[in-house]
């Protein structure tokens, strides 16, 4: 009787171990899925690409131009950083940062800029993009922020 | 007799223990496959290849550093007038500071009879590789079929009548810009 009981115990323990392993693996993968669904990766990707394409469109302007890009209230949870030919959207949480490159030009200088703090969280933030030509034919694209503190690094 | 029975039971137990290993591996594979199918339907990216191709094409055609005629004194760009001296690979590379295989384009200038063609490339090697892929994507889009995969290439083409500024000759300019989907 004892030997038959041992045989059954072994099988039961293996069954329990398999169920626990499946539960842990399933829980981890499903929680990762839920994090992706509730995460902000899509928003960060959208903002990075939209700002980068707006800057690329600004490169096409044949004269001086200023354009106000409405960032709505996204700066309450993200940081926007423009530099090194890329647009970075950073989050303060553990989620990864997102970047998208800007196809630049040798004759146009892209200034660096970073929004690091929102002044009034109830109001939207606007990114003012300006392109100004110099006398030698080169141009510079610079940035300012409304309702936010920014720095030209 | 009892000894033989014990050996058979021992053999059964050890076989059962061994069989649990492939069962657990199979179980984990099923969980991974299910999660992969779920991930396939979660959108975390926005495809901007087609829009970017359109923007870059217009940048080359209308910006002062592109191929359009530019008067340095009045600082005015004349869209519709192509400066033949600017239609070179070196000038295009200066106009668009893109890395290798980041962007490809082809300009074809010809007279109204489609003769005397002059072809200029931006990243000729990448254009040669991407053009058939981009053509395939174009066919799929025309059939309203969804395309998927990270190897997509988006082409934007335009044909317009322009004047070559030196000779004031009316010509046809065909432009194709291809960007990869990132």
């Amino acid at each position: 009787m004892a030997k038959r009981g041992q045989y059954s115990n072994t099988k039961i323990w293996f069954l329990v171990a398999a169920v626990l392993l499946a539960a842990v693996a399933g829980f981890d993968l499903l929680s990762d899925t839920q994090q992706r669904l509730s995460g902000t990766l899509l928003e960060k990707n959208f903002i990075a690409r939209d700002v980068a394409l707006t800057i690329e469109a600004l490169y096409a302007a044949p004269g001086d131009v200023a354009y106000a890009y409405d960032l709505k209230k996204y700066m309450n949870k993200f940081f926007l950083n423009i530099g090194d030919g890329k647009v970075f959207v950073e989050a303060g949480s553990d989620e990864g940062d997102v970047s998208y490159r800007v196809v630049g030009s040798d004759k146009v200088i892209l200034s660096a800029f970073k929004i690091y703090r929102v002044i009034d969280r109830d109001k939207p933030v606007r990114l003012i993009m300006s392109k100004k030509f110099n006398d030698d034919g080169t141009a510079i694209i610079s940035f300012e922020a409304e309702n936010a503190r920014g720095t030209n690094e | 007799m009892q000894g033989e029975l014990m050996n058979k039971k021992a053999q059964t137990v050890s076989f059962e223990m061994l069989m649990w290993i492939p069962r657990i591996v199979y179980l984990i594979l099923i969980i991974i496959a299910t999660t992969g199918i779920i991930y396939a339907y979660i959108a975390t990216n926005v495809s901007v290849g087609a829009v970017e191709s359109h923007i870059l094409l217009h940048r080359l055609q209308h910006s002062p550093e592109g191929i359009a005629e530019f008067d340095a004194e009045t600082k005015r760009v004349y869209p519709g007038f192509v400066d033949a001296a600017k239609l070179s690979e070196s000038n295009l590379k200066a106009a668009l500071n893109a890395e290798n295989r980041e962007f490809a384009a082809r300009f074809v200038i010809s007279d109204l009879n489609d003769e005397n063609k002059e072809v200029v490339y931006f990243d000729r090697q990448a254009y040669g590789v991407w053009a058939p892929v981009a053509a395939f994507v174009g066919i799929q889009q025309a059939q309203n079929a969804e395309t998927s995969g990270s190897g997509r290439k988006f082409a934007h083409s335009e044909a317009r009548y322009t004047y070559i500024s030196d000779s004031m000759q009316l010509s046809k300019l065909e432009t194709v810009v291809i960007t990869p989907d990132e």
Side-chain angles (χ1 to χ4, degrees):
Chain A
M1 177 63 180
K3 287 178 185 173
R4 280 186 186 166
Q6 276 180 352
Y7 173 75
S8 298
N9 274 344
T10 307
K11 215 174 174 184
I12 286 172
W13 281 119
F14 268 102
L15 193 63
V16 168
V19 169
L20 275 175
L21 187 63
V24 168
F27 179 77
D28 278 345
L29 291 170
L30 288 175
S31 70
D32 185 49
T33 304
Q34 195 271 337
Q35 201 174 30
R36 284 187 183 213
L37 284 170
S38 62
T40 55
L41 196 55
L42 180 62
E43 292 168 297
K44 288 188 288 187
N45 270 322
F46 177 81
I47 292 169
R49 280 157 169 74
D50 205 29
V51 172
L53 289 180
T54 306
I55 295 172
E56 286 183 8
L58 218 59
Y59 272 92
D64 294 352
V65 66
Y67 178 75
Y69 183 88
D70 190 0
L71 285 164
K72 299 189 188 323
K73 295 184 182 178
Y74 284 112
M75 291 299 104
N76 290 346
K77 48 184 176 178
F78 301 135
F79 300 98
L80 185 70
N81 188 358
I82 301 170
D84 293 331
K86 288 186 180 181
V87 176
F88 297 88
V89 180
E90 302 159 2
S93 63
D94 293 336
E95 283 186 355
D97 304 335
V98 162
S99 68
Y100 195 75
R101 56 105 177 88
V102 176
V103 178
S105 169
D106 287 347
K107 298 176 186 174
V108 180
I109 300 167
L110 182 66
S111 302
F113 186 73
K114 180 174 181 178
I115 294 176
Y116 63 87
R117 192 159 58 95
V118 178
I119 298 171
D120 187 349
R121 287 182 165 265
D122 293 330
K123 291 181 182 173
V125 172
R126 297 211 308 173
L127 179 67
I128 311 297
M129 308 178 190
S130 305
K131 181 180 181 184
K132 287 194 179 146
F133 278 85
N134 302 319
D135 292 335
D136 58 356
T138 59
I140 183 165
I141 294 178
S142 56
F143 304 93
E144 286 176 3
E146 281 184 8
N147 190 32
R149 296 264 184 258
T151 160
N152 300 321
E153 294 175 358
Chain B
M1 180 75 172
Q2 276 187 347
E4 283 177 4
L5 203 59
M6 284 170 56
N7 284 339
K8 282 185 184 172
K9 280 186 182 174
Q11 282 174 5
T12 305
V13 170
S14 64
F15 178 75
E16 284 287 331
M17 286 165 64
L18 278 174
M19 283 309 294
W20 272 108
I21 296 171
R23 283 175 190 162
I24 290 171
V25 170
Y26 182 68
L27 187 62
I28 293 174
L29 282 174
I30 294 295
I31 293 171
I32 292 172
T34 305
T35 313
I37 292 170
I38 295 171
Y39 285 169
Y41 285 92
I42 299 175
T44 57
N45 207 348
V46 182
S47 174
V48 296
V51 175
E52 191 165 25
S53 295
H54 187 94
I55 290 173
L56 292 175
L57 184 146
H58 280 267
R59 245 176 88 173
L60 288 171
Q61 288 188 344
H62 299 299
S63 67
E65 55 268 10
I67 63 173
E69 175 74 17
F70 177 67
D71 190 338
E73 288 187 14
T74 60
K75 305 284 190 294
R76 186 183 165 178
V77 174
Y78 293 89
F81 288 82
V82 172
D83 188 345
K86 287 187 177 182
L87 202 59
S88 65
E89 199 159 334
S90 58
N91 183 66
L92 293 177
K93 276 200 178 296
L96 285 182
N97 198 5
E99 295 175 4
N100 275 347
R101 305 189 78 80
E102 194 175 9
F103 163 77
R106 185 185 75 170
F107 294 84
V108 179
I109 281 207
S110 60
D111 57 24
L112 298 182
N113 298 324
D114 279 334
E115 292 171 357
N116 300 323
K117 289 188 180 182
E118 186 182 343
V119 184
V120 179
Y121 289 92
F122 183 100
D123 200 347
R124 183 174 189 155
Q125 198 176 8
Y127 186 88
V129 172
W130 291 350
V133 179
F136 176 74
V137 169
I139 291 170
Q140 289 290 327
Q141 286 176 343
Q143 294 173 349
N144 291 325
E146 283 191 6
T147 55
S148 61
S150 60
R152 286 181 294 180
K153 303 292 180 281
F154 290 93
H156 189 86
S157 59
E158 266 193 17
R160 55 178 64 212
Y161 293 108
T162 59
Y163 278 101
I164 305 298
S165 57
D166 290 342
S167 58
M168 292 304 289
Q169 178 189 355
L170 184 62
S171 306
K172 194 160 68 171
L173 172 67
E174 294 172 68
T175 313
V176 178
V177 169
I178 304 176
T179 53
D181 183 28
E182 289 187 7

